[in-house]
Amino acid sequence: MTPKDIRAAFIEDLTSVAPDIDPDLLDDDEHLQDDLGLDSMDFLNLVSALHKRFGLPIPEADYPELATTAQAVRYLGKAPAG
Amino acid sequence: MSTFKMPSLGADMEEGTLVEWLVKPGDSVARGDIVAVVETQKGAIEIEIFEAGEVAELIAEPGQTLPVGAPLARMRKPGEVQDDAPAPRAVPESPRTTAPAEPEESARSAHPTHPPRRASRALPGAKAPGGADATGVLASPAAKARAAEAGLDLTQVTGSGPGGAVLLADVENYLKTAPATKETLETPAAKPAAKPAARGKPGLDMAEMRRAIATAMSRSKREIPHYYLSHRIDLQAAQDWLGATNAERSPDKRLLMGALLIRATVRALAKVPELNGRFEGAHYTPAEDIHCGMAVAMRGGGLIAPAIMDAQGKALDEIMAAMRDLVARTRTGRLRNSEITQGTITISSLGETGVDALYGVIYPPQVALVGFGAPRAEALAHDGAVAARVCVTATLAADHRVSDGRRGAILLAEIDQLLQEPETL
C-alpha cells in the first residue's frame, strides 16, 4: 500500500467511527482527540477498525503513534500491511 | 382499543416529528417492539411500544410534527375484536402537505362510518408536515442539515424518498448540478445558513439541543436540593490490571477505564440503593433495576445520556459492550426511547483529556449523578511513602429530598473499595 492508499483507508475508518468529521476539511496534523474531539471510545473503535483492516495488533503502548492522521499513516506504513 | 401516543422523551420535550412507521395496520406487536422513528432534539429516536396487541390504524403521517400525547396509532389489545369507533382526532385542513395519499384499505371500506383518510389532515397542534422546515418540505435530517449548510432552499429540490421526501443524495445532486447555489441564498424561504462552525452529528439542531439541556437543567436546579461530595480514589491497581488485561486482548475486546468505573458504581449502588430511582410527582420511587445513564458528549456541543439498561446484571465485559453500542448509536444511529427516558442514575466520566473533577447537575427525575474526572498520576501517600499513583476524583451530586451526605459518602467509599480489587469487578 502506498501512503496515499493508507491515508484513504485511515480516513475511511475515521469517518465511520466519527461520521461528523468532514474529510475535506481535515488537516493531517490535527490531533484526533484534542482537535477532532474523538473520545476514548471513539479512539478505541478506530483502533479496532484499523486492527481489522491492517491485521496489526496495535498495542496500547503504540496509541501515541496514532495521535494524528499524519502519524497514523506513518505508523501503519511501517508494518507489513495486508 | 387503546391509543398509542407521541411519547415524552424527557422532561424537556414538547413535540416530535414522526419520521417513519415500522409497522402497518394488522401487524402484531409485542411489548418492547420498535414501531416508529421520531425525530427530536436528541436526534432520531426509535420508539418502542409498551403494550402487546395489534395495530388497528395508523393515525399520524410521517413528516408530521406532533405534541407529546398526540395520538399516533390505534391499537387493538390481544383478543379484542375489531370495532368501528373512529380515532379521536380533529381534522383541520392543512393546505401544505407532502405526505403520500394512503392506499385504500379493504377493511376500511367495510366501515362506511369511518371518515375517509386524507393525507392532508393534521392533528391538533400539528405543524405543517415536513419537520421543522417552515416551507413544509418533507426531508431527512441529513438532507436538512446539508441544505442549511449550503444555504439551500429545500423547496427547490426534487425529493426521491418516500412521499417525495428530500434525501441527502437529492441535496448533493442538486448542489452538483446547480453551481449557482448563491442565488438560492436570496430566496426568502431559505433560512440564513449559520454554517455550523463545529462538526456536529448530521441532523442535530444544536440550538434546539442547547435549549433542551437548559430546560432540563433549570428544572433540576429549581426543584432538586443538590448536595455534593468529592473523593479522590487511588486508581493505580485498576490501571495496572487494565493495562495487563488489554495487553492480552485484540483492540475489539479491550476495556476502557470508563467501563470499570461504571461497573464499580453499579455494584456500589447495592449498598445505597436509595440513590438509584426516580422522583416523579411528589413521590420518590427507588428503582429495582439500574438503568445507568452514561453522558456522551457530542462533538460540536451538546450532550446525550442514554442508559445502559439493566446494568446490575451485566458483567464488566458486558458493560463495555453496552457502552460501545450506546456510543456508536448516539454518534451514528438511533437510540431507543427507553434508553433516553428510563434512566435511574447517571454517570459522567470525563475520560483521559478532561479536568480533575466534575460536579454534576442531576438529570430529573433521577436523584443522583456520579462524576469522574480525568485519571492522572498524582503524588499520593501509599504504604507510608509518597508515590506517583494514578488517581481519579469521584464526585456525587445527590438529591437531599432522598438522601444525605452520610449515605452518599458510603457510595463513593464503596466505589473506591471495589476499584482496589479490579480483578473481582
Side-chain angles (χ1 to χ4, degrees), chain B residues 43-91:
Chain B
I45 306 293
E46 292 180 340
I47 306 298
E48 299 145 298
I49 198 154
F50 288 97
E51 259 182 301
E54 185 190 317
V55 180
E57 186 196 0
L58 302 179
I59 301 169
E61 307 274 359
Q64 281 185 314
T65 298
L66 300 163
V68 169
L72 297 179
R74 288 200 310 147
M75 305 297 301
R76 213 171 281 127
K77 296 198 177 96
E80 191 178 340
V81 283
Q82 209 159 318
D83 71 14
D84 298 338
R89 67 160 97 101
V91 192

mmCIF file of all heavy atoms in Angstrom, chain B residues 43-91:
data_model
loop_
_atom_site.group_PDB
_atom_site.id
_atom_site.type_symbol
_atom_site.label_atom_id
_atom_site.label_comp_id
_atom_site.label_asym_id
_atom_site.label_seq_id
_atom_site.Cartn_x
_atom_site.Cartn_y
_atom_site.Cartn_z
ATOM 1 N N GLY B 43 -32.012 13.926 18.279
ATOM 2 C CA GLY B 43 -31.795 13.121 17.084
ATOM 3 C C GLY B 43 -32.980 12.188 16.868
ATOM 4 O O GLY B 43 -34.012 12.315 17.525
ATOM 5 N N ALA B 44 -32.822 11.269 15.923
ATOM 6 C CA ALA B 44 -33.895 10.328 15.615
ATOM 7 C C ALA B 44 -33.914 9.236 16.681
ATOM 8 O O ALA B 44 -32.897 8.645 16.988
ATOM 9 C CB ALA B 44 -33.690 9.730 14.235
ATOM 10 N N ILE B 45 -35.078 8.988 17.250
ATOM 11 C CA ILE B 45 -35.216 8.023 18.330
ATOM 12 C C ILE B 45 -36.171 6.923 17.901
ATOM 13 O O ILE B 45 -37.226 7.186 17.326
ATOM 14 C CB ILE B 45 -35.800 8.703 19.599
ATOM 15 C CG1 ILE B 45 -34.975 9.921 20.010
ATOM 16 C CG2 ILE B 45 -35.927 7.703 20.741
ATOM 17 C CD1 ILE B 45 -33.600 9.627 20.498
ATOM 18 N N GLU B 46 -35.783 5.674 18.178
ATOM 19 C CA GLU B 46 -36.669 4.550 17.899
ATOM 20 C C GLU B 46 -37.676 4.428 19.025
ATOM 21 O O GLU B 46 -37.309 4.395 20.197
ATOM 22 C CB GLU B 46 -35.851 3.262 17.801
ATOM 23 C CG GLU B 46 -34.947 3.240 16.579
ATOM 24 C CD GLU B 46 -34.138 1.964 16.484
ATOM 25 O OE1 GLU B 46 -33.981 1.285 17.508
ATOM 26 O OE2 GLU B 46 -33.656 1.668 15.387
ATOM 27 N N ILE B 47 -38.951 4.359 18.658
ATOM 28 C CA ILE B 47 -39.997 4.327 19.663
ATOM 29 C C ILE B 47 -40.496 2.903 19.865
ATOM 30 O O ILE B 47 -40.946 2.247 18.933
ATOM 31 C CB ILE B 47 -41.187 5.230 19.253
ATOM 32 C CG1 ILE B 47 -40.694 6.645 18.948
ATOM 33 C CG2 ILE B 47 -42.246 5.246 20.333
ATOM 34 C CD1 ILE B 47 -40.060 7.357 20.112
ATOM 35 N N GLU B 48 -40.411 2.472 21.124
ATOM 36 C CA GLU B 48 -40.905 1.140 21.465
ATOM 37 C C GLU B 48 -42.346 1.257 21.945
ATOM 38 O O GLU B 48 -42.768 2.300 22.432
ATOM 39 C CB GLU B 48 -40.078 0.550 22.610
ATOM 40 C CG GLU B 48 -38.613 0.394 22.277
ATOM 41 C CD GLU B 48 -37.728 0.649 23.484
ATOM 42 O OE1 GLU B 48 -37.761 1.784 24.000
ATOM 43 O OE2 GLU B 48 -37.025 -0.261 23.909
ATOM 44 N N ILE B 49 -43.056 0.153 21.825
ATOM 45 C CA ILE B 49 -44.420 0.132 22.321
ATOM 46 C C ILE B 49 -44.421 -0.665 23.621
ATOM 47 O O ILE B 49 -43.643 -1.602 23.776
ATOM 48 C CB ILE B 49 -45.375 -0.451 21.260
ATOM 49 C CG1 ILE B 49 -46.806 -0.077 21.600
ATOM 50 C CG2 ILE B 49 -45.211 -1.961 21.099
ATOM 51 C CD1 ILE B 49 -47.712 -0.044 20.388
ATOM 52 N N PHE B 50 -45.265 -0.237 24.565
ATOM 53 C CA PHE B 50 -45.212 -0.891 25.870
ATOM 54 C C PHE B 50 -46.420 -1.769 26.144
ATOM 55 O O PHE B 50 -46.643 -2.213 27.245
ATOM 56 C CB PHE B 50 -45.007 0.154 26.968
ATOM 57 C CG PHE B 50 -43.609 0.699 26.917
ATOM 58 C CD1 PHE B 50 -43.328 1.893 26.271
ATOM 59 C CD2 PHE B 50 -42.558 -0.034 27.453
ATOM 60 C CE1 PHE B 50 -42.026 2.362 26.187
ATOM 61 C CE2 PHE B 50 -41.256 0.431 27.374
ATOM 62 C CZ PHE B 50 -40.982 1.637 26.746
ATOM 63 N N GLU B 51 -47.213 -2.007 25.104
ATOM 64 C CA GLU B 51 -48.362 -2.886 25.243
ATOM 65 C C GLU B 51 -48.365 -3.823 24.052
ATOM 66 O O GLU B 51 -48.192 -3.388 22.921
ATOM 67 C CB GLU B 51 -49.642 -2.054 25.152
ATOM 68 C CG GLU B 51 -50.295 -1.754 26.470
ATOM 69 C CD GLU B 51 -51.566 -0.967 26.244
ATOM 70 O OE1 GLU B 51 -51.515 0.133 25.658
ATOM 71 O OE2 GLU B 51 -52.617 -1.466 26.634
ATOM 72 N N ALA B 52 -48.634 -5.069 24.317
ATOM 73 C CA ALA B 52 -48.767 -6.009 23.212
ATOM 74 C C ALA B 52 -50.130 -5.797 22.558
ATOM 75 O O ALA B 52 -51.055 -5.310 23.193
ATOM 76 C CB ALA B 52 -48.636 -7.432 23.725
ATOM 77 N N GLY B 53 -50.227 -6.135 21.303
ATOM 78 C CA GLY B 53 -51.515 -6.005 20.626
ATOM 79 C C GLY B 53 -51.338 -6.011 19.125
ATOM 80 O O GLY B 53 -50.328 -6.478 18.603
ATOM 81 N N GLU B 54 -52.363 -5.482 18.461
ATOM 82 C CA GLU B 54 -52.334 -5.446 17.011
ATOM 83 C C GLU B 54 -52.567 -4.004 16.568
ATOM 84 O O GLU B 54 -53.383 -3.293 17.149
ATOM 85 C CB GLU B 54 -53.445 -6.358 16.472
ATOM 86 C CG GLU B 54 -53.436 -6.504 14.960
ATOM 87 C CD GLU B 54 -54.705 -7.204 14.471
ATOM 88 O OE1 GLU B 54 -55.128 -8.192 15.097
ATOM 89 O OE2 GLU B 54 -55.276 -6.736 13.473
ATOM 90 N N VAL B 55 -51.847 -3.601 15.553
ATOM 91 C CA VAL B 55 -52.014 -2.244 15.050
ATOM 92 C C VAL B 55 -53.340 -2.173 14.300
ATOM 93 O O VAL B 55 -53.546 -2.890 13.324
ATOM 94 C CB VAL B 55 -50.856 -1.870 14.099
ATOM 95 C CG1 VAL B 55 -51.039 -0.447 13.572
ATOM 96 C CG2 VAL B 55 -49.522 -2.016 14.807
ATOM 97 N N ALA B 56 -54.261 -1.339 14.797
ATOM 98 C CA ALA B 56 -55.558 -1.215 14.136
ATOM 99 C C ALA B 56 -55.497 -0.136 13.054
ATOM 100 O O ALA B 56 -55.978 -0.320 11.943
ATOM 101 C CB ALA B 56 -56.636 -0.875 15.165
ATOM 102 N N GLU B 57 -54.882 0.975 13.402
ATOM 103 C CA GLU B 57 -54.852 2.073 12.446
ATOM 104 C C GLU B 57 -53.695 3.005 12.760
ATOM 105 O O GLU B 57 -53.411 3.291 13.923
ATOM 106 C CB GLU B 57 -56.165 2.865 12.536
ATOM 107 C CG GLU B 57 -56.265 3.942 11.476
ATOM 108 C CD GLU B 57 -57.346 4.971 11.798
ATOM 109 O OE1 GLU B 57 -58.006 4.833 12.842
ATOM 110 O OE2 GLU B 57 -57.495 5.915 11.008
ATOM 111 N N LEU B 58 -53.036 3.451 11.729
ATOM 112 C CA LEU B 58 -52.008 4.470 11.914
ATOM 113 C C LEU B 58 -52.669 5.826 11.709
ATOM 114 O O LEU B 58 -53.269 6.086 10.679
ATOM 115 C CB LEU B 58 -50.871 4.279 10.901
ATOM 116 C CG LEU B 58 -50.174 2.908 10.957
ATOM 117 C CD1 LEU B 58 -49.087 2.822 9.884
ATOM 118 C CD2 LEU B 58 -49.590 2.649 12.331
ATOM 119 N N ILE B 59 -52.600 6.674 12.718
ATOM 120 C CA ILE B 59 -53.271 7.969 12.643
ATOM 121 C C ILE B 59 -52.333 9.044 12.107
ATOM 122 O O ILE B 59 -52.682 9.831 11.240
ATOM 123 C CB ILE B 59 -53.798 8.383 14.043
ATOM 124 C CG1 ILE B 59 -54.770 7.318 14.558
ATOM 125 C CG2 ILE B 59 -54.470 9.745 13.968
ATOM 126 C CD1 ILE B 59 -55.146 7.497 16.025
ATOM 127 N N ALA B 60 -51.129 9.077 12.637
ATOM 128 C CA ALA B 60 -50.188 10.127 12.238
ATOM 129 C C ALA B 60 -49.441 9.731 10.967
ATOM 130 O O ALA B 60 -49.215 8.550 10.709
ATOM 131 C CB ALA B 60 -49.201 10.374 13.363
ATOM 132 N N GLU B 61 -49.097 10.736 10.196
ATOM 133 C CA GLU B 61 -48.371 10.517 8.953
ATOM 134 C C GLU B 61 -46.902 10.872 9.148
ATOM 135 O O GLU B 61 -46.597 11.848 9.832
ATOM 136 C CB GLU B 61 -48.895 11.468 7.862
ATOM 137 C CG GLU B 61 -50.372 11.441 7.653
ATOM 138 C CD GLU B 61 -50.777 10.358 6.682
ATOM 139 O OE1 GLU B 61 -49.870 9.664 6.184
ATOM 140 O OE2 GLU B 61 -51.978 10.213 6.427
ATOM 141 N N PRO B 62 -46.018 10.137 8.503
ATOM 142 C CA PRO B 62 -44.612 10.550 8.548
ATOM 143 C C PRO B 62 -44.478 11.996 8.073
ATOM 144 O O PRO B 62 -45.129 12.403 7.112
ATOM 145 C CB PRO B 62 -43.936 9.583 7.581
ATOM 146 C CG PRO B 62 -44.795 8.371 7.616
ATOM 147 C CD PRO B 62 -46.206 8.894 7.766
ATOM 148 N N GLY B 63 -43.668 12.757 8.765
ATOM 149 C CA GLY B 63 -43.472 14.155 8.398
ATOM 150 C C GLY B 63 -44.208 15.097 9.337
ATOM 151 O O GLY B 63 -43.867 16.269 9.419
ATOM 152 N N GLN B 64 -45.205 14.587 10.039
ATOM 153 C CA GLN B 64 -45.957 15.468 10.933
ATOM 154 C C GLN B 64 -45.194 15.726 12.225
ATOM 155 O O GLN B 64 -44.611 14.813 12.796
ATOM 156 C CB GLN B 64 -47.306 14.822 11.292
ATOM 157 C CG GLN B 64 -48.345 14.958 10.203
ATOM 158 C CD GLN B 64 -49.688 14.423 10.657
ATOM 159 O OE1 GLN B 64 -49.775 13.345 11.235
ATOM 160 N NE2 GLN B 64 -50.736 15.174 10.402
ATOM 161 N N THR B 65 -45.235 16.976 12.642
ATOM 162 C CA THR B 65 -44.688 17.334 13.950
ATOM 163 C C THR B 65 -45.849 17.425 14.928
ATOM 164 O O THR B 65 -46.803 18.164 14.696
ATOM 165 C CB THR B 65 -43.937 18.672 13.874
ATOM 166 O OG1 THR B 65 -42.848 18.512 12.975
ATOM 167 C CG2 THR B 65 -43.389 19.068 15.246
ATOM 168 N N LEU B 66 -45.758 16.636 15.993
ATOM 169 C CA LEU B 66 -46.893 16.488 16.893
ATOM 170 C C LEU B 66 -46.469 16.710 18.333
ATOM 171 O O LEU B 66 -45.363 16.339 18.721
ATOM 172 C CB LEU B 66 -47.461 15.061 16.756
ATOM 173 C CG LEU B 66 -47.950 14.704 15.357
ATOM 174 C CD1 LEU B 66 -48.091 13.200 15.214
ATOM 175 C CD2 LEU B 66 -49.271 15.385 15.076
ATOM 176 N N PRO B 67 -47.380 17.285 19.122
ATOM 177 C CA PRO B 67 -47.042 17.479 20.540
ATOM 178 C C PRO B 67 -47.035 16.157 21.286
ATOM 179 O O PRO B 67 -47.666 15.191 20.850
ATOM 180 C CB PRO B 67 -48.178 18.384 21.045
ATOM 181 C CG PRO B 67 -49.318 18.125 20.128
ATOM 182 C CD PRO B 67 -48.722 17.781 18.791
ATOM 183 N N VAL B 68 -46.341 16.139 22.407
ATOM 184 C CA VAL B 68 -46.343 14.966 23.277
ATOM 185 C C VAL B 68 -47.778 14.646 23.666
ATOM 186 O O VAL B 68 -48.544 15.540 24.012
ATOM 187 C CB VAL B 68 -45.490 15.245 24.538
ATOM 188 C CG1 VAL B 68 -45.693 14.155 25.582
ATOM 189 C CG2 VAL B 68 -44.026 15.365 24.155
ATOM 190 N N GLY B 69 -48.164 13.391 23.547
ATOM 191 C CA GLY B 69 -49.518 12.984 23.914
ATOM 192 C C GLY B 69 -50.472 12.899 22.744
ATOM 193 O O GLY B 69 -51.574 12.371 22.870
ATOM 194 N N ALA B 70 -50.060 13.414 21.577
ATOM 195 C CA ALA B 70 -50.932 13.345 20.405
ATOM 196 C C ALA B 70 -51.064 11.882 19.972
ATOM 197 O O ALA B 70 -50.109 11.120 20.029
ATOM 198 C CB ALA B 70 -50.354 14.172 19.264
ATOM 199 N N PRO B 71 -52.281 11.476 19.556
ATOM 200 C CA PRO B 71 -52.449 10.084 19.131
ATOM 201 C C PRO B 71 -51.666 9.782 17.856
ATOM 202 O O PRO B 71 -51.683 10.562 16.909
ATOM 203 C CB PRO B 71 -53.953 9.968 18.890
ATOM 204 C CG PRO B 71 -54.463 11.348 18.766
ATOM 205 C CD PRO B 71 -53.529 12.249 19.489
ATOM 206 N N LEU B 72 -50.946 8.663 17.880
ATOM 207 C CA LEU B 72 -50.174 8.258 16.697
ATOM 208 C C LEU B 72 -50.825 7.073 16.001
ATOM 209 O O LEU B 72 -50.800 6.977 14.789
ATOM 210 C CB LEU B 72 -48.748 7.862 17.115
ATOM 211 C CG LEU B 72 -47.873 8.940 17.747
ATOM 212 C CD1 LEU B 72 -46.510 8.353 18.109
ATOM 213 C CD2 LEU B 72 -47.706 10.128 16.816
ATOM 214 N N ALA B 73 -51.380 6.177 16.809
ATOM 215 C CA ALA B 73 -51.976 4.978 16.221
ATOM 216 C C ALA B 73 -53.007 4.411 17.184
ATOM 217 O O ALA B 73 -52.992 4.716 18.374
ATOM 218 C CB ALA B 73 -50.898 3.928 15.958
ATOM 219 N N ARG B 74 -53.911 3.623 16.624
ATOM 220 C CA ARG B 74 -54.847 2.908 17.472
ATOM 221 C C ARG B 74 -54.441 1.452 17.524
ATOM 222 O O ARG B 74 -54.087 0.854 16.503
ATOM 223 C CB ARG B 74 -56.268 3.055 16.934
ATOM 224 C CG ARG B 74 -56.784 4.484 17.162
ATOM 225 C CD ARG B 74 -58.279 4.546 17.101
ATOM 226 N NE ARG B 74 -58.798 3.894 15.896
ATOM 227 C CZ ARG B 74 -59.955 3.259 15.843
ATOM 228 N NH1 ARG B 74 -60.707 3.145 16.910
ATOM 229 N NH2 ARG B 74 -60.355 2.723 14.700
ATOM 230 N N MET B 75 -54.487 0.912 18.734
ATOM 231 C CA MET B 75 -54.040 -0.454 18.950
ATOM 232 C C MET B 75 -55.193 -1.303 19.448
ATOM 233 O O MET B 75 -55.976 -0.872 20.289
ATOM 234 C CB MET B 75 -52.938 -0.467 20.029
ATOM 235 C CG MET B 75 -51.750 0.442 19.754
ATOM 236 S SD MET B 75 -50.865 -0.049 18.272
ATOM 237 C CE MET B 75 -50.416 -1.723 18.728
ATOM 238 N N ARG B 76 -55.253 -2.514 18.917
ATOM 239 C CA ARG B 76 -56.236 -3.471 19.392
ATOM 240 C C ARG B 76 -55.507 -4.386 20.375
ATOM 241 O O ARG B 76 -54.408 -4.859 20.073
ATOM 242 C CB ARG B 76 -56.740 -4.285 18.195
ATOM 243 C CG ARG B 76 -58.164 -4.719 18.290
ATOM 244 C CD ARG B 76 -58.600 -5.321 16.963
ATOM 245 N NE ARG B 76 -58.924 -4.302 15.970
ATOM 246 C CZ ARG B 76 -58.406 -4.236 14.748
ATOM 247 N NH1 ARG B 76 -57.509 -5.115 14.363
ATOM 248 N NH2 ARG B 76 -58.759 -3.284 13.917
ATOM 249 N N LYS B 77 -56.119 -4.604 21.531
ATOM 250 C CA LYS B 77 -55.477 -5.496 22.509
ATOM 251 C C LYS B 77 -55.600 -6.929 22.027
ATOM 252 O O LYS B 77 -56.479 -7.244 21.238
ATOM 253 C CB LYS B 77 -56.122 -5.324 23.879
ATOM 254 C CG LYS B 77 -55.899 -3.934 24.432
ATOM 255 C CD LYS B 77 -56.142 -3.875 25.927
ATOM 256 C CE LYS B 77 -55.832 -2.505 26.451
ATOM 257 N NZ LYS B 77 -57.045 -1.664 26.540
ATOM 258 N N PRO B 78 -54.726 -7.810 22.523
ATOM 259 C CA PRO B 78 -54.812 -9.204 22.078
ATOM 260 C C PRO B 78 -56.197 -9.764 22.375
ATOM 261 O O PRO B 78 -56.715 -9.587 23.473
ATOM 262 C CB PRO B 78 -53.756 -9.911 22.932
ATOM 263 C CG PRO B 78 -52.843 -8.835 23.423
ATOM 264 C CD PRO B 78 -53.667 -7.590 23.500
ATOM 265 N N GLY B 79 -56.813 -10.385 21.381
ATOM 266 C CA GLY B 79 -58.123 -10.986 21.576
ATOM 267 C C GLY B 79 -59.287 -10.037 21.371
ATOM 268 O O GLY B 79 -60.444 -10.455 21.284
ATOM 269 N N GLU B 80 -58.992 -8.759 21.279
ATOM 270 C CA GLU B 80 -60.064 -7.768 21.122
ATOM 271 C C GLU B 80 -60.597 -7.831 19.692
ATOM 272 O O GLU B 80 -59.830 -7.924 18.739
ATOM 273 C CB GLU B 80 -59.498 -6.375 21.401
ATOM 274 C CG GLU B 80 -60.540 -5.290 21.521
ATOM 275 C CD GLU B 80 -59.879 -3.950 21.847
ATOM 276 O OE1 GLU B 80 -58.732 -3.954 22.330
ATOM 277 O OE2 GLU B 80 -60.503 -2.918 21.608
ATOM 278 N N VAL B 81 -61.923 -7.761 19.573
ATOM 279 C CA VAL B 81 -62.481 -7.785 18.221
ATOM 280 C C VAL B 81 -62.417 -6.385 17.625
ATOM 281 O O VAL B 81 -62.398 -5.387 18.330
ATOM 282 C CB VAL B 81 -63.935 -8.292 18.199
ATOM 283 C CG1 VAL B 81 -63.972 -9.810 18.354
ATOM 284 C CG2 VAL B 81 -64.756 -7.606 19.267
ATOM 285 N N GLN B 82 -62.426 -6.386 16.332
ATOM 286 C CA GLN B 82 -62.345 -5.131 15.606
ATOM 287 C C GLN B 82 -63.562 -4.263 15.933
ATOM 288 O O GLN B 82 -64.692 -4.721 15.887
ATOM 289 C CB GLN B 82 -62.352 -5.459 14.120
ATOM 290 C CG GLN B 82 -61.626 -4.452 13.292
ATOM 291 C CD GLN B 82 -61.226 -5.069 11.969
ATOM 292 O OE1 GLN B 82 -60.772 -6.206 11.912
ATOM 293 N NE2 GLN B 82 -61.418 -4.342 10.907
ATOM 294 N N ASP B 83 -63.374 -3.032 16.299
ATOM 295 C CA ASP B 83 -64.534 -2.167 16.497
ATOM 296 C C ASP B 83 -64.515 -1.033 15.477
ATOM 297 O O ASP B 83 -63.588 -0.885 14.696
ATOM 298 C CB ASP B 83 -64.597 -1.637 17.938
ATOM 299 C CG ASP B 83 -63.525 -0.617 18.207
ATOM 300 O OD1 ASP B 83 -62.911 -0.118 17.247
ATOM 301 O OD2 ASP B 83 -63.294 -0.305 19.384
ATOM 302 N N ASP B 84 -65.591 -0.262 15.503
ATOM 303 C CA ASP B 84 -65.745 0.731 14.446
ATOM 304 C C ASP B 84 -65.471 2.149 14.891
ATOM 305 O O ASP B 84 -65.596 3.084 14.113
ATOM 306 C CB ASP B 84 -67.176 0.691 13.899
ATOM 307 C CG ASP B 84 -67.479 -0.661 13.284
ATOM 308 O OD1 ASP B 84 -66.512 -1.376 12.912
ATOM 309 O OD2 ASP B 84 -68.645 -1.018 13.191
ATOM 310 N N ALA B 85 -65.174 2.304 16.176
ATOM 311 C CA ALA B 85 -65.020 3.670 16.681
ATOM 312 C C ALA B 85 -63.916 4.394 15.924
ATOM 313 O O ALA B 85 -62.815 3.894 15.819
ATOM 314 C CB ALA B 85 -64.686 3.626 18.168
ATOM 315 N N PRO B 86 -64.264 5.531 15.384
ATOM 316 C CA PRO B 86 -63.225 6.273 14.678
ATOM 317 C C PRO B 86 -62.191 6.812 15.657
ATOM 318 O O PRO B 86 -62.497 7.016 16.823
ATOM 319 C CB PRO B 86 -63.977 7.420 13.997
ATOM 320 C CG PRO B 86 -65.245 7.564 14.782
ATOM 321 C CD PRO B 86 -65.539 6.245 15.418
ATOM 322 N N ALA B 87 -61.037 7.025 15.179
ATOM 323 C CA ALA B 87 -59.975 7.535 16.034
ATOM 324 C C ALA B 87 -60.316 8.932 16.499
ATOM 325 O O ALA B 87 -60.917 9.710 15.766
ATOM 326 C CB ALA B 87 -58.673 7.568 15.251
ATOM 327 N N PRO B 88 -59.954 9.243 17.730
ATOM 328 C CA PRO B 88 -60.194 10.594 18.210
ATOM 329 C C PRO B 88 -59.241 11.559 17.516
ATOM 330 O O PRO B 88 -58.043 11.500 17.703
ATOM 331 C CB PRO B 88 -59.852 10.498 19.711
ATOM 332 C CG PRO B 88 -58.896 9.358 19.806
ATOM 333 C CD PRO B 88 -59.212 8.432 18.669
ATOM 334 N N ARG B 89 -59.789 12.359 16.694
ATOM 335 C CA ARG B 89 -58.901 13.292 16.020
ATOM 336 C C ARG B 89 -59.684 14.465 15.463
ATOM 337 O O ARG B 89 -60.812 14.321 15.026
ATOM 338 C CB ARG B 89 -58.152 12.592 14.887
ATOM 339 C CG ARG B 89 -59.049 12.148 13.739
ATOM 340 C CD ARG B 89 -58.194 11.931 12.513
ATOM 341 N NE ARG B 89 -57.826 10.553 12.333
ATOM 342 C CZ ARG B 89 -58.421 9.728 11.461
ATOM 343 N NH1 ARG B 89 -59.430 10.152 10.738
ATOM 344 N NH2 ARG B 89 -58.021 8.503 11.325
ATOM 345 N N ALA B 90 -59.092 15.593 15.495
ATOM 346 C CA ALA B 90 -59.665 16.745 14.826
ATOM 347 C C ALA B 90 -59.055 16.791 13.441
ATOM 348 O O ALA B 90 -57.941 16.348 13.245
ATOM 349 C CB ALA B 90 -59.330 18.012 15.586
ATOM 350 N N VAL B 91 -59.805 17.275 12.494
ATOM 351 C CA VAL B 91 -59.305 17.207 11.132
ATOM 352 C C VAL B 91 -59.298 18.568 10.456
ATOM 353 O O VAL B 91 -60.020 18.797 9.495
ATOM 354 C CB VAL B 91 -60.126 16.202 10.292
ATOM 355 C CG1 VAL B 91 -59.433 15.913 8.970
ATOM 356 C CG2 VAL B 91 -60.335 14.898 11.053
#
